């Protein structure tokens, strides 16, 4: 629920602000007024001056109405935004009709509303605005008032040249629209992916904060527990050895000592040295992320071998989530089995996750780990869930794992084998960071 809310807020933030459209339209009004006035009063060219200023005035009135109706920070929905940009196309087309059509050198400005739409509106709305602009450009190419020129003279450009301008504007609409949409879409995808990553990291931070809560609880309980221990000790001194309550008092003192040891463990959870509840051997780490995936009909085999004692890491929610996501992807695409090979030397720790599925598609192999890069289809497990198949899971997993000092490589099995391989490699010092060097891994097996 929180994830979907974050994404909805992100989409809302990408909508057009009324203030942005109003400012751009004021620039257009000023530019159009200057050009019309300059041609009429400065050059003295005859044309429909009154109608041109009427079209400009309508645009100015619309701006004033928007300022009165909406606050500056208001963001328009896709529908109102499309209507306003459509008005801009029609208004500029009317001016071009009155001032020479495509023979007017300012005709290329009709691309501006389409570019704005491509950066902020859905593609199908941009397509509709592009078709509207193309229709208007085609209409004024054939039907328009003469181009303002010297009194008593008329400039008639060759029809073939006008058609060249028509082609250039249509190609410009298509190219700039697609280019602007692509750049804006990549920015939107990255923003949403980073929002999803921030959500996961916030959840990880909440888990980490439990250490502080545990320490605070241990501190608060320490005083009453010390009082209980003192009273139990005094009662033990005053009670004869053969008293029926002597055994109960002795049991009470033992349980008080046990509680004090537990509180001591809780207070150490937030320190730099990992307590026994936070240490995981490499094999235990792999088993913990693989166990939830064993109930989906795919055989998961874990192999662990290496030089010397088995490496130990501190329990890290981000690492568990990241490796769990890689195993989850392997199970989703595997036909019958997934093999997880964990190996270590005195310098490195490596975990390779292999499946016997179709492998990574060649067109996405080099881009895996980027947001919104995925080969997951609708037939896969968990399909249909919010955000499924968007490639965000792998992006988040890669980000969280790399924060632990690891590097990740993706590859396909060499022929004649098949399947995908995700290899995670740590320097051993990074994997065992914050672990007491005196702890013995064998005790955790």
């Amino acid at each position: 629920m929180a994830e979907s809310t974050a994404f909805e807020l992100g989409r809302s933030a990408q909508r057009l602000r009324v203030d942005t459209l109003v400012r751009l339209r004021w620039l257009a009004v000023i530019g159009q007024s200057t050009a019309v006035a300059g041609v009429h009063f400065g050059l003295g060219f005859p044309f429909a001056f009154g109608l041109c200023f009427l079209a400009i005035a309508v645009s100015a009135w619309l701006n004033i109405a928007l300022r009165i109706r909406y606050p500056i920070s208001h963001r328009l929905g896709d529908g109102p935004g499309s209507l306003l940009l459509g008005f801009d196309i029609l208004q500029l087309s009317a001016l071009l009709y009155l001032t020479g059509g495509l023979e007017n050198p300012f005709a290329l400005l009709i691309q501006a509303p389409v570019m704005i739409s491509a950066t902020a509106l859905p593609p199908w709305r941009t397509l509709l605005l592009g078709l509207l602009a193309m229709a208007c450009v085609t209409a004024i190419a054939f039907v328009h008032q003469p181009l303002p020129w010297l009194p008593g003279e008329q400039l008639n450009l060759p029809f073939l040249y006008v058609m060249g301008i028509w082609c250039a504007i249509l190609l410009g609409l298509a190219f700039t629209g697609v280019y602007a949409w692509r750049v804006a879409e990549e920015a939107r995808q990255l923003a949403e992916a980073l929002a999803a990553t921030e959500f996961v990291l916030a959840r990880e931070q909440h888990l980490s904060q439990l250490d502080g809560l545990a320490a605070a609880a241990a501190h608060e309980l320490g005083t009453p527990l010390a009082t209980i221990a003192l009273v139990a000790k005094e009662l033990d001194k005053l009670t004869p050895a053969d008293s029926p309550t002597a055994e109960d008092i002795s049991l009470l003192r033992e349980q008080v000592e046990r509680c004090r040891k537990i509180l001591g463990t809780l207070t150490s959870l937030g320190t730099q040295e990992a307590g026994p509840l936070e240490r995981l051997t490499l094999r235990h780490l792999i088993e913990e992320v693989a166990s939830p995936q064993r109930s989906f009909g795919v055989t998961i085999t874990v192999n662990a071998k290496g030089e010397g004692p088995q490496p130990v890491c501190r329990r890290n929610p981000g690492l568990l989530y990241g490796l769990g996501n890689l195993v989850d992807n392997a199970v989703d695409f595997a036909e019958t089995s997934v093999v997880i090979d964990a190996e270590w030397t005195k310098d490195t720790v490596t975990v390779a996750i292999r499946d016997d599925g179709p492998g990574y598609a060649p067109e996405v192999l080099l881009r895996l780990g980027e947001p919104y890069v995925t080969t997951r289809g609708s037939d896969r497990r968990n399909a249909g869930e919010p955000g499924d198949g968007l490639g965000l899971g792998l992006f988040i997993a890669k980000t969280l794992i790399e924060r632990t000092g690891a590097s990740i490589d993706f590859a396909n099995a060499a022929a004649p084998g098949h399947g995908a391989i995700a290899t995670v490699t740590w320097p051993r010092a990074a994997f065992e960071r914050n672990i007491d060097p005196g702890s013995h891994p064998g005790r955790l097996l």
Side-chain angles (χ1 to χ4, degrees):
M1 184 67 178
E3 282 182 287
S4 60
T5 302
F7 287 129
E8 289 301 324
L9 290 174
R11 294 189 185 99
S12 176
Q14 293 158 6
R15 293 176 178 174
L16 284 169
R17 292 178 61 206
V18 171
D19 184 63
T20 301
L21 286 180
V22 168
R23 288 176 181 272
L24 291 175
R25 191 175 289 111
W26 279 128
L27 288 177
V29 167
I30 294 172
Q32 292 167 0
S33 301
T34 302
V36 170
V39 171
H40 181 71
F41 296 107
L43 299 178
F45 292 173
F47 65 99
F49 175 77
L51 291 178
C52 288
F53 255 98
L54 177 62
I56 298 173
V58 170
S59 186
W61 291 336
L62 176 60
N63 258 7
I64 295 173
L66 289 174
R67 280 295 194 195
I68 296 174
R69 175 65 178 82
Y70 297 106
I72 293 178
S73 60
H74 180 75
R75 294 186 181 273
L76 295 168
D78 294 340
S82 301
L83 291 176
L84 289 176
L85 292 175
F87 166 81
D88 291 334
I89 293 175
L90 294 175
Q91 189 260 0
L92 183 56
S93 298
L95 283 177
L96 292 175
Y97 165 78
L98 295 171
T99 55
L102 297 188
E103 297 175 6
N104 189 318
F106 295 102
L108 60 89
L109 293 177
I110 203 168
Q111 300 176 16
V114 179
M115 288 186 62
I116 295 173
S117 172
T119 61
L121 297 180
W124 69 272
R125 291 187 178 273
T126 301
L127 177 61
L128 291 179
L129 290 174
L131 293 176
L132 174 63
M134 290 180 181
C136 292
V137 168
T138 303
I140 61 177
F142 294 95
V143 181
H144 57 82
Q145 297 296 322
L147 179 70
W149 200 246
L150 296 173
E153 298 183 17
Q154 186 173 353
L155 178 64
N156 294 314
L157 297 177
F159 181 75
L160 185 61
Y161 181 79
V162 174
M163 286 297 98
I165 297 176
W166 176 78
C167 290
I169 292 177
L170 294 191
L171 291 175
L173 284 170
F175 176 78
T176 56
V178 172
Y179 178 79
W181 170 79
R182 184 60 187 169
V183 172
E185 183 66 14
E186 289 180 356
R188 280 193 291 266
Q189 289 177 351
L190 184 58
E192 290 181 2
L194 291 176
T197 303
E198 289 177 359
F199 174 81
V200 174
L201 294 180
R203 185 167 58 183
E204 178 188 357
Q205 184 179 8
H206 291 160
L207 292 175
S208 300
Q209 289 173 350
L210 292 178
D211 294 347
L213 294 176
H219 176 74
E220 294 297 326
L221 291 173
T223 300
L225 191 61
T227 303
I228 294 173
L230 179 61
V231 172
K233 182 178 180 181
E234 293 299 324
L235 289 174
D236 190 28
K237 290 180 180 179
L238 297 175
T239 303
D242 57 350
S243 173
T245 60
E247 184 177 351
D248 293 337
I249 294 176
S250 177
L251 178 62
L252 177 62
R253 293 190 63 185
E254 290 177 2
Q255 295 304 311
V256 168
E257 288 300 320
R258 182 180 177 188
C259 289
R260 296 179 71 175
K261 289 181 180 179
I262 293 174
L263 291 181
T265 301
L266 290 177
T267 56
S268 68
L269 289 178
T271 62
Q272 283 298 102
E273 293 185 359
L277 299 180
E278 283 194 288
R279 291 200 297 271
L280 289 173
T281 64
L282 179 59
R283 186 177 185 92
H284 279 169
L285 173 67
I286 301 303
E287 290 290 349
E288 183 163 336
V289 299
S291 293
Q293 309 295 332
R294 296 187 186 275
S295 59
F296 295 104
V298 175
T299 302
I300 300 179
T301 304
V302 178
N303 301 317
K305 62 179 181 178
E307 304 175 8
Q310 189 171 172
V312 180
C313 70
R314 183 172 183 170
R315 182 182 295 275
N316 183 327
L319 177 59
L320 291 171
Y321 176 88
L323 289 178
N325 184 273
L326 296 181
V327 176
D328 176 70
N329 282 348
V331 170
D332 280 353
F333 288 93
E335 295 179 359
T336 59
S337 66
V338 171
V339 178
I340 305 176
D341 293 320
E343 300 180 356
W344 63 90
T345 66
K346 64 178 181 178
D347 298 319
T348 61
V349 177
T350 304
V351 174
I353 302 170
R354 312 168 187 267
D355 64 68
D356 59 351
Y360 300 118
E363 63 270 17
V364 301
L365 180 58
L366 296 179
R367 299 177 56 214
L368 280 174
E370 296 180 11
Y372 296 91
V373 176
T374 181
T375 58
R376 187 185 298 273
S378 59
D379 59 330
R380 296 297 177 188
R381 178 169 59 85
N382 298 331
E385 293 184 359
D388 175 69
L390 299 179
L392 283 179
L394 192 57
F395 169 75
I396 296 171
K398 185 173 183 289
T399 301
L400 293 178
I401 292 175
E402 288 179 343
R403 288 181 67 221
T404 67
S407 61
I408 305 180
D409 294 315
F410 301 100
N412 289 323
H418 61 92
I421 306 173
T423 305
V424 185
T425 305
W426 291 267
R428 184 154 180 165
F431 185 82
E432 295 184 321
R433 185 184 299 137
N434 297 333
I435 293 295
D436 181 5
S439 62
H440 195 286
R443 297 175 185 172
L444 300 175
L445 295 175

